[in-house]
């Protein structure tokens, strides 16, 4: 299993349930055991639940698996089904499950600028939670699910919150324009400023962000910025493996890829 989050854990559970009793190795680039991600932008960010509440494994669960955590996969050799790891090791297998999921998209030009965050992992949530505890002005770039949840959570914590969404209506894609408009009204009713139909030109600040620059010329002061502009599939480690990559891994309806034994 390459990927130690919900998909990798679920696949491992299914294999054991269906009678597979062979060696089972679960590789994950994060150092944490599998945890639930949705609460990261809500209850965990608000501090109403702790890390123990995020655990996806039960206390008595034992998959008799080898967990290689904090170890990133860097390549797949198709000939002998060998997975190359960042620490130099290789793991050979009879079957491989690709469950590396996605990573948060970042805003170009924001690297190295303090106060700018994405929210995808437990470590992201820890850092952002500490940041929000300082209070001040938060600008959320992107009015999707992550952006909307972070905005409402931060406002409840007492921050001054502005959401910038490039589309005319937030969440119109997954929810439709009618429900998207209702979400907009809820934000407004609860004191969150929502700026729709305008894109972000960039960020300003020397070492730390101090404002978000909009394409229409406006400047939104910010002490903290959360970028919630979607996710990208984590498939770069599969380049050169022979798998067909197209914004993900091309596979059949049953999950089979073009390489035997790789799903």
């Amino acid at each position: 299993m390459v990927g130690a989050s919900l998909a990798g854990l679920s696949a491992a559970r299914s294999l054991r349930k269906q009678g597979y009793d062979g060696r089972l190795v679960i590789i994950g680039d994060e150092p944490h055991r599998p945890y639930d991600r949705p609460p990261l932008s809500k209850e965990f960010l608000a501090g109403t639940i702790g890390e123990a509440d995020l655990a996806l494994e039960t206390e008595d669960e034992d998959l008799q698996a080898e967990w290689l955590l904090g170890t990133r996969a860097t390549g797949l050799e198709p000939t002998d089904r060998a997975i190359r790891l960042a620490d130099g090791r290789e793991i050979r297998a009879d079957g491989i499950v690709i469950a590396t999921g996605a990573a948060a998209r970042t805003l170009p030009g924001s690297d190295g600028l303090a106060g700018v965050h994405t929210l995808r992992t437990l470590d992201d949530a820890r850092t952002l939670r500490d940041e929000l505890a300082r209070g001040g002005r938060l600008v959320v770039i992107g009015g999707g699910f992550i952006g909307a949840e972070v905005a409402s959570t931060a406002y409840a914590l007492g921050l001054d919150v502005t959401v910038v969404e490039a589309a005319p209506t937030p969440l119109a894609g997954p929810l439709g324009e009618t429900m998207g408009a209702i979400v907009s009204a809820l934000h407004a009713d609860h004191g969150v400023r929502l700026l729709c139909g305008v894109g972000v030109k960039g960020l300003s600040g020397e070492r730390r962000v101090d404002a978000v620059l909009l394409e229409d010329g406006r400047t939104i002061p910010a002490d903290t910025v959360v970028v919630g502009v979607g996710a990208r599939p984590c498939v770069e480690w599969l380049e050169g493996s022979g798998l067909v990559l197209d914004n993900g891994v091309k596979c059949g309806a049953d999950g089979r890829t073009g390489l035997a034994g790789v799903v």
Side-chain angles (χ1 to χ4, degrees), residues 141-187:
I141 301 174
F145 288 115
I146 292 294
E149 290 166 357
V150 170
S152 61
T153 301
Y155 183 79
L157 292 172
L159 280 80
D160 179 271
V161 182
T162 301
V163 176
V164 180
E165 169 57 50
T169 306
L171 292 168
L175 299 182
E177 291 188 5
T178 300
M179 284 301 298
I182 292 174
V183 171
S184 298
L186 286 172
H187 275 307

Side-chain angles (χ1 to χ4, degrees), residues 3 13 20 25 27 42 49 58 70 74 80 86 100 107 133 138-139 173 177 183 214 235 250 254 259:
R13 283 171 169 165
Y20 176 73
V25 180
I27 301 167
K42 301 186 286 290
I49 66 172
T58 60
T74 59
D80 53 3
T100 41
L107 198 66
L138 170 69
V139 176
E177 291 188 5
V183 171
L214 305 184
V235 294
K250 296 274 281 187
D254 57 1
L259 296 178

Side-chain angles (χ1 to χ4, degrees), residues 17 31 47 66 73 99 129 131 146 150 183 189 203 220 223 245 249 259:
K17 185 177 181 179
E66 299 173 42
R129 185 175 62 180
E131 191 88 74
I146 292 294
V150 170
V183 171
D189 290 345
L203 305 175
I220 311 299
D223 301 300
L245 305 179
V249 179
L259 296 178

Side-chain angles (χ1 to χ4, degrees), residues 113-143:
L113 194 59
V116 181
H117 303 266
T118 56
L119 180 55
R120 178 73 185 177
T121 69
L122 175 57
D123 291 334
D124 291 340
R126 286 172 173 170
T127 303
L128 180 57
R129 185 175 62 180
D130 292 343
E131 191 88 74
L132 296 183
R134 300 169 53 185
R137 300 161 298 183
L138 170 69
V139 176
V140 178
I141 301 174

